[in-house]
């Protein structure tokens, strides 16, 4: 398959440019994705025609923006198959969502001696909030080991999750190793021990069908900007029963039902958790991004990315001196691929690739404990999305070889 057979790339105007005199090949989708023209147009349309604050006015624009804001919530509800639309809380992103769970459910339910269980591959945003909660409450933070391929190990999960465990929080897809973790099985284990299951869906929701009822997770966090939407908007899904028991963490307008001088009644879900003016435009446009994804179909996106991985992973593994982290079997690997070239710092590798127009990320990927676990200080990471082509994959491979030769010979 080549560019001509990828019907989606042309929808993304930013990709049609030169970087360092070469065609831009954008492979930093795990950090953030590009936006299709239709989503870019929707941002302009909203601010051109409908902008108003939500829930507070009876005038026509306020009604229009409120209707679109709540419609977007329903689109997101159906996208992850949540049972109720009030289980969808708008947040700033995955980090914000996870912090809300830690500060609300965590603060209220963790006591001294309790256990919080995460894994060695977590992004800092699914690690630091739990670590800080554990410190504050004198609870124990436990890490599930990874198996040889880098998956969160189910056998170790069985040992680490005990009757003392109150919260288990695991990334659905690793932003470094590209593995899909067995979160459904881990949720079952958590529930057998009376704990709640939090899923960090930042790298799964944009790339595959995610069904919260099927996973039976209690909470799911994800970011709009990693799935074609704008920055500054994300989602916290929580089971209605749990969200109803939880206290809000931010106070102010919108989240109240009635304010008395010395006490306040909270608003109903989902607004109880949405203090202040929300990111109205961001939420509406995220709903439009969901429409775009649905039009293609999440199954199709997942299958296409699998084909890309089937194609590129063996080629990467063939490069002499390149170490690929995570599973080497393409069937087990998603489209996030981390690697290092012998004797070259990943920043130099990423700079060399940028000279060839190829945008990848280098660093610790906000996963320092994982870097330590892997015995490296950093990696380079190429992360694909459905608008990347097989030609993009070829260019990556060629650019890695060219960078390797450059550092060997001193010329590029
Ligand atoms: N979790 C994972 C697995 C991620 O990849 C990221 C983003 N790199 C985050 C959490 C945090 O997302 P955000 O910065 O959008 O809050």
């Amino acid at each position: 398959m080549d560019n001509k057979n990828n019907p989606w790339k042309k929808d993304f105007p930013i990709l049609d440019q030169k970087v360092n005199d070469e065609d831009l090949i954008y492979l930093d989708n795990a950090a953030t994705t590009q936006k299709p023209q239709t989503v870019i147009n929707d941002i302009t349309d909203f601010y051109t025609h409908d902008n108003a604050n939500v829930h507070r006015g009876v005038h026509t624009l306020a009604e229009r923006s409120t209707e679109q804001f709540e419609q977007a919530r329903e689109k997101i509800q159906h996208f992850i198959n949540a049972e109720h639309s009030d289980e969808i809380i708008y947040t700033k992103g995955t980090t914000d969502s996870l912090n809300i769970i830690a500060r609300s459910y965590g603060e209220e339910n963790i006591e001294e001696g309790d256990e919080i269980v995460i894994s060695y591959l977590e992004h800092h945003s699914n690690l630091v909030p739990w670590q800080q909660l554990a410190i504050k409450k004198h609870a124990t933070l436990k890490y599930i080991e990874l198996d040889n391929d880098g998956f969160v190990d189910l056998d170790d999960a069985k040992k680490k999750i005990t009757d003392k465990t109150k919260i288990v929080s695991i990334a659905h897809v690793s932003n470094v190793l590209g593995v899909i973790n067995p979160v459904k099985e881990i949720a079952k284990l958590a529930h057998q021990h009376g704990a709640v299951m939090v899923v960090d869906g930042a790298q799964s929701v944009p790339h595959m069908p995610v069904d919260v009822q099927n996973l039976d997770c209690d909470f799911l966090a994800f970011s709009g900007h990693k799935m074609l939407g704008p920055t500054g908007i994300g989602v916290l899904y929580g089971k209605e029963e749990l969200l109803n028991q939880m206290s809000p963490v931010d106070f102010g307008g919108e989240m109240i039902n009635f304010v008395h001088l010395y006490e306040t009644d909270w608003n109903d879900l989902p607004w109880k958790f949405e203090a202040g003016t929300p990111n109205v435009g961001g939420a509406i446009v995220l709903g439009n991004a969901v429409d775009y994804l649905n039009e293609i179909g999440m199954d199709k996106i997942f299958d296409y990315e699998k084909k890309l991985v089937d194609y590129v992973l063996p080629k990467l593994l063939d490069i002499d001196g390149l170490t690929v982290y995570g599973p080497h079997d393409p069937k087990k690997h998603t489209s996030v691929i981390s690697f290092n070239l012998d004797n070259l710092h990943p920043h130099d590798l990423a700079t060399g690739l940028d000279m060839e127009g190829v945008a990848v990320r280098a660093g610790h990927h906000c996963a320092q404990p994982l870097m330590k676990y892997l015995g490296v200080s950093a990696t380079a990471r190429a992360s694909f999305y459905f608008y990347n082509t097989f030609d993009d994959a070829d260019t990556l491979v060629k650019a890695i070889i060219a960078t390797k030769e450059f550092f060997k010979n001193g010329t590029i």
Side-chain angles (χ1 to χ4, degrees):
M1 199 190 280
D2 56 23
N3 287 350
K4 289 179 213 82
N5 294 325
N6 182 314
W8 309 297
K9 189 165 193 169
K10 65 173 180 0
D11 293 347
F12 294 77
I14 201 170
L15 300 176
D16 186 17
Q17 63 172 294
K18 300 266 183 207
V19 165
N20 294 320
D21 295 329
E22 303 289 343
D23 288 337
L24 166 66
I25 307 297
Y26 184 78
L27 297 176
D28 194 17
N29 294 289
T32 200
T33 63
Q34 301 303 346
K35 321 302 169 199
Q37 187 65 57
T38 164
V39 166
I40 297 169
N41 293 346
D42 288 333
I43 297 171
T44 312
D45 279 354
F46 173 71
Y47 287 107
T48 308
H49 303 293
D50 301 325
N51 177 48
N53 211 330
V54 285
H55 302 139
R56 296 176 193 182
V58 288
H59 61 78
T60 303
L61 292 193
E63 277 174 8
R64 252 193 244 158
S65 65
T66 303
E67 195 183 321
Q68 290 177 47
F69 183 75
E70 293 305 334
Q71 265 171 6
R73 199 188 300 275
E74 283 169 23
K75 289 178 193 177
I76 296 163
Q77 173 205 345
H78 297 306
F79 191 64
I80 58 166
N81 195 30
E83 208 176 339
H84 311 285
S85 64
D86 63 10
E87 296 177 319
I88 305 297
I89 316 286
Y90 289 128
T91 65
K92 287 187 283 187
T94 307
T95 306
D96 191 30
S97 303
L98 292 166
N99 274 280
I100 293 170
I101 307 166
R103 282 160 59 212
S104 178
Y105 187 87
E107 291 269 347
E108 284 173 338
N109 291 282
I110 292 289
E111 289 171 6
E112 187 167 346
D114 287 344
E115 294 171 351
I116 302 165
V117 177
I118 60 174
S119 84
Y120 280 103
L121 60 62
E122 301 311 322
H123 187 282
H124 295 161
S125 64
N126 192 32
L127 189 161
V128 185
W130 305 120
Q131 179 192 70
Q132 294 305 305
L133 179 67
I135 292 170
K136 191 169 172 183
K137 296 283 187 166
H138 303 287
T140 306
L141 183 62
K142 288 166 92 179
Y143 288 84
I144 305 175
E145 301 278 338
L146 310 182
D147 70 13
N148 290 338
D149 279 332
F151 289 84
V152 173
D153 187 53
L154 255 187
D155 288 333
D156 196 50
K158 284 178 193 151
K159 290 184 204 140
K160 297 278 162 65
I161 299 170
T162 71
D163 286 346
K164 286 187 179 170
T165 308
K166 293 287 180 312
I167 297 171
V168 180
S169 191
I170 302 290
H172 197 178
V173 169
S174 163
N175 67 315
V176 176
L177 299 174
V179 289
I180 304 177
N181 287 314
V183 288
K184 183 172 173 168
E185 290 76 6
I186 298 173
K188 204 167 160 198
L189 276 175
H191 293 151
Q192 280 164 0
H193 291 279
V196 294
M197 178 71 190
V198 182
V199 175
D200 171 354
Q203 299 295 347
S204 61
V205 175
H207 298 273
M208 56 197 270
V210 172
D211 178 334
V212 287
Q213 294 189 68
N214 179 265
L215 294 179
D216 196 21
C217 57
D218 299 287
F219 299 101
L220 173 78
F222 56 100
S223 301
H225 70 96
K226 292 184 199 285
M227 49 188 287
L228 315 181
T231 48
I233 185 76
V235 173
L236 161 57
Y237 157 82
K239 282 185 185 161
E240 192 180 59
E241 194 192 335
L242 288 170
L243 292 173
N244 269 326
Q245 290 163 18
M246 287 158 52
S247 300
V249 291
D250 292 319
F251 306 111
E254 202 76 6
M255 50 75 65
I256 53 91
N257 186 23
F258 204 89
V259 178
H260 312 271
L261 278 183
Y262 299 106
E263 58 182 23
T264 295
D265 303 324
W266 311 137
N267 202 343
D268 294 333
L269 287 177
W271 309 293
K272 179 171 88 171
F273 289 100
E274 295 177 356
T277 299
N279 184 350
V280 181
I284 292 170
V285 174
L286 176 57
N288 295 337
V290 164
D291 286 341
Y292 181 96
L293 291 169
N294 277 334
E295 224 162 275
I296 299 175
M298 292 311 293
D299 278 324
K300 202 162 168 182
I301 287 173
F302 185 66
D303 287 348
Y304 177 76
E305 288 186 30
K306 276 226 135 308
K307 286 190 187 117
L308 269 178
V309 176
D310 276 349
Y311 181 76
V312 75
L313 192 57
K315 289 185 193 296
L316 291 171
L317 290 166
D318 266 357
I319 300 175
D320 201 28
L322 194 85
T323 303
V324 176
Y325 302 96
H328 287 186
D329 176 356
K331 305 260 163 310
K332 296 181 179 172
H333 211 121
T334 66
S335 59
V336 179
I337 308 177
S338 291
F339 46 84
N340 268 323
L341 208 42
D342 282 353
N343 306 318
L344 193 62
H345 193 279
H347 280 131
D348 292 330
L349 175 54
T351 305
L353 296 184
D354 187 55
M355 294 306 294
E356 307 283 323
V358 179
V360 302
R361 181 147 294 235
H364 54 63
H365 314 294
C366 297
Q368 285 176 345
L370 174 60
M371 295 293 116
K372 193 164 177 220
Y373 194 86
L374 296 174
V376 296
S377 59
T379 75
R381 179 186 73 188
S383 50
F384 294 78
Y385 208 12
F386 63 88
Y387 46 68
N388 288 121
T389 63
F390 289 65
D391 283 355
D392 293 351
D394 284 336
T395 307
L396 169 70
V397 172
K398 277 189 218 138
I400 293 174
I401 294 169
T403 306
K404 182 179 143 185
E405 293 305 312
F406 167 74
F407 279 98
K408 207 157 60 185
N409 303 324
T411 48
I412 202 160

